[in-house]
Amino acid sequence: MTRWLPDGRREGREWVARNPKRGDSQPGSFKVNLSTGRWGDFATGDKGGDLIALAAFLFDLKQDEAARSVAVMVGVDAYE
């Protein structure tokens, strides 16, 4: 999570950070569950069910583009 949300911190099973898509002044409302990948910004209602959706949200990608990007990041051939 530090690569995508470097100003965050671990709190139990969650990564708590500022939402980089808005003028969030303090970490707290934007959380990622480190066990399931579910994430949400409780201030705006933005949410998703996995890390692909998180990548799509953070980097303004379509789901398929986000999936390929994450696959490259972890060293998986996205075209197998």
Side-chain angles (χ1 to χ4, degrees), residues 19 21-22 29-31 39-48 57:
N19 183 340
K21 305 279 285 181
R22 65 180 176 86
S29 66
F30 194 84
K31 298 181 180 183
W39 60 273
D41 185 331
F42 302 101
T44 64
D46 292 313
K47 61 184 174 180
F57 174 76

Side-chain angles (χ1 to χ4, degrees), residues 52-53 55-67 69-70:
I52 303 299
F57 174 76
L58 291 176
F59 306 113
D60 296 316
L61 300 171
K62 294 180 181 176
Q63 290 287 312
D64 62 332
E65 295 169 331
S69 179
V70 170

Side-chain angles (χ1 to χ4, degrees), residues 14 31-40 47-51 54:
E14 294 184 319
K31 298 181 180 183
V32 180
N33 184 301
L34 297 170
S35 298
T36 66
R38 288 184 167 204
W39 60 273
K47 61 184 174 180
D50 57 40
L51 295 178
L54 178 60

